[in-house]
Amino acid sequence: MATAAAALLFAGQAEATTYVFETVLLGANEVPVAATPGTGFARVTINDTLDTMRVEANFSGLLGTTTAAHIHCCAPAGTNVGVATTTPTFPGFPGGVSSGTYDNTFDMTNLTSYNGTFVTNNGGTAASAFAALFGGMQAGNAYFNVHSTSFPGGEIRGQLSYVPEPGTWALMIAGFGMAGAALRRRARPLAA
């Protein structure tokens, strides 16, 4: 029964083509910590069928004004690592402001969606760079960073975390229910 539940769970994930990663952006997440009242939120949605990446962000309260924003990959939380996406900043990201919003979808088959160094260090093609970035995000080894005039190394940042879609949650709950039922059946004493 537990095996059937696990199969249902992974079958739902295998069919998924959209993966959502989210984070809260804070100065406390910077390395070293940035003493700022600035905050924000970022959502990155990967569509592995269309090979797109939608980046949504909002931020406010920065002490400085924005100079750049991008995704860094691939290293564990608490570690600084190079930029994976466009440099110096996402195209159209609000510059010279202390608050703003951003929403853009990138074609991840296009080399201009990446930092050239990231592409070179990860196989030399857009496909290999996309695989490395997506894999880094799935492993929790990518972070969204907003840089400012007050904090050139980054004023607010957050580690991107996978957010299961509602259908996946439903499968997980159903799977846990089936596994629990199987365990309860095993625990019942047999009638003599």
Side-chain angles (χ1 to χ4, degrees), residues 76-169:
T79 307
N80 290 324
V81 69
V83 177
T85 57
T86 56
T87 55
T89 191
F90 287 124
F93 194 88
V97 297
S98 60
S99 64
T101 60
Y102 182 72
D103 188 349
N104 192 25
T105 300
F106 295 86
D107 175 356
M108 301 311 284
T109 65
N110 191 331
L111 285 171
T112 62
S113 295
Y114 307 93
N115 176 356
T117 302
F118 185 78
V119 173
T120 300
N121 292 340
N122 289 284
T125 67
S128 61
F130 187 37
L133 177 58
F134 186 32
M137 291 171 67
Q138 288 176 308
N141 292 332
Y143 60 92
F144 193 102
N145 205 4
V146 178
H147 302 259
S148 75
T149 53
S150 294
F151 297 92
E155 184 163 344
I156 56 174
R157 117 182 189 180
Q159 208 75 13
L160 292 163
S161 298
Y162 175 66
V163 179
E165 60 186 293
T168 302
W169 279 114

Side-chain angles (χ1 to χ4, degrees), residues 7-19 48-49 165 168 171:
L8 280 174
L9 172 64
F10 292 114
Q13 289 176 338
E15 293 175 16
T17 58
T18 302
Y19 302 83
D48 69 350
T49 299
E165 60 186 293
T168 302
L171 284 172

